[in-house]
Amino acid sequence: MNTGSDRGTHGSAADDAATEAAAGPTAEAATEAAEETPHVSKAPAFIKRNRSLHLSWQVGVFIVGLAVIGAGIAMLVLPGPGWVAIFAGLAIWATEFAWAHLVLRWTKRKVTEAAQKALDPKVRRRNIILTSAGLVIAGALIGFYLWKYGLVMPWSLKDQ
């Protein structure tokens, strides 16, 4: 089972970056080089030396990450920070698995893009207008209910 987490164990990512830096990259090329460095397992060295121990470590990390993600999914419908837990579980997986590292990096990029887009004045103005319209409609509905039934809870209504 090749999870991609054992790539780069013979040479460090810093050695690869130093070799590319010697070629004289620009700031953009250095960023691309940092993104393309192979994923290296975060397991301690004594665990990486023994293949069966490293596989056991990876299974443990997978189970812990799965439990955190499962709790996050449950918290989407229950009280709690569901999305935070899901991303935390993904970050746990990213310590060992290259695919999770790529998914986490993609997610971070998309969240950053969405945050930048939300700061756009046109989008902010539209969101403020839509929120205001929603509040006006909700206020009108609440006002109509209070005018029609008074301060009575819906489940306490008899024959009105």
Side-chain angles (χ1 to χ4, degrees), residues 58-94:
Q58 287 181 332
V59 168
V61 167
F62 184 81
I63 290 171
V64 170
L66 187 64
V68 172
I69 288 176
I73 291 172
M75 284 188 275
L76 289 176
V77 294
L78 299 172
W83 286 110
V84 173
I86 290 171
F87 293 136
L90 194 58
I92 290 170
W93 278 348

Side-chain angles (χ1 to χ4, degrees), residues 83-104:
W83 286 110
V84 173
I86 290 171
F87 293 136
L90 194 58
I92 290 170
W93 278 348
T95 63
E96 283 301 311
F97 305 109
W99 60 268
H101 184 76
L102 293 173
V103 170
L104 187 63

Side-chain angles (χ1 to χ4, degrees), residues 1 3 15 27 34 36 40 47-48 52 67-68 76 82 94 96 98 105 115 125 132-133 143 157:
M1 179 169 96
T3 59
D15 293 339
E36 294 177 10
V40 179
I47 290 177
K48 285 194 267 187
S52 61
V68 172
L76 289 176
E96 283 301 311
R105 189 170 52 201
R125 191 173 324 121
S132 301
L157 291 176

Side-chain angles (χ1 to χ4, degrees), residues 40-147:
V40 179
S41 173
K42 304 288 192 276
F46 73 93
I47 290 177
K48 285 194 267 187
R49 273 180 276 182
N50 186 344
R51 180 124 174 98
S52 61
L53 192 58
H54 191 233
L55 184 61
S56 300
W57 176 272
Q58 287 181 332
V59 168
V61 167
F62 184 81
I63 290 171
V64 170
L66 187 64
V68 172
I69 288 176
I73 291 172
M75 284 188 275
L76 289 176
V77 294
L78 299 172
W83 286 110
V84 173
I86 290 171
F87 293 136
L90 194 58
I92 290 170
W93 278 348
T95 63
E96 283 301 311
F97 305 109
W99 60 268
H101 184 76
L102 293 173
V103 170
L104 187 63
R105 189 170 52 201
W106 178 84
T107 304
K108 284 180 182 178
R109 189 176 68 245
K110 289 297 181 184
V111 167
T112 303
E113 289 173 5
Q116 291 298 323
K117 192 175 184 182
L119 293 176
D120 180 28
K122 284 182 173 178
V123 175
R124 289 187 70 204
R125 191 173 324 121
R126 183 198 66 203
N127 289 345
I128 289 171
I129 291 170
L130 289 175
T131 302
S132 301
L135 288 174
V136 166
I137 291 170
L141 290 174
I142 291 170
F144 175 76
Y145 178 85
L146 290 175
W147 172 74

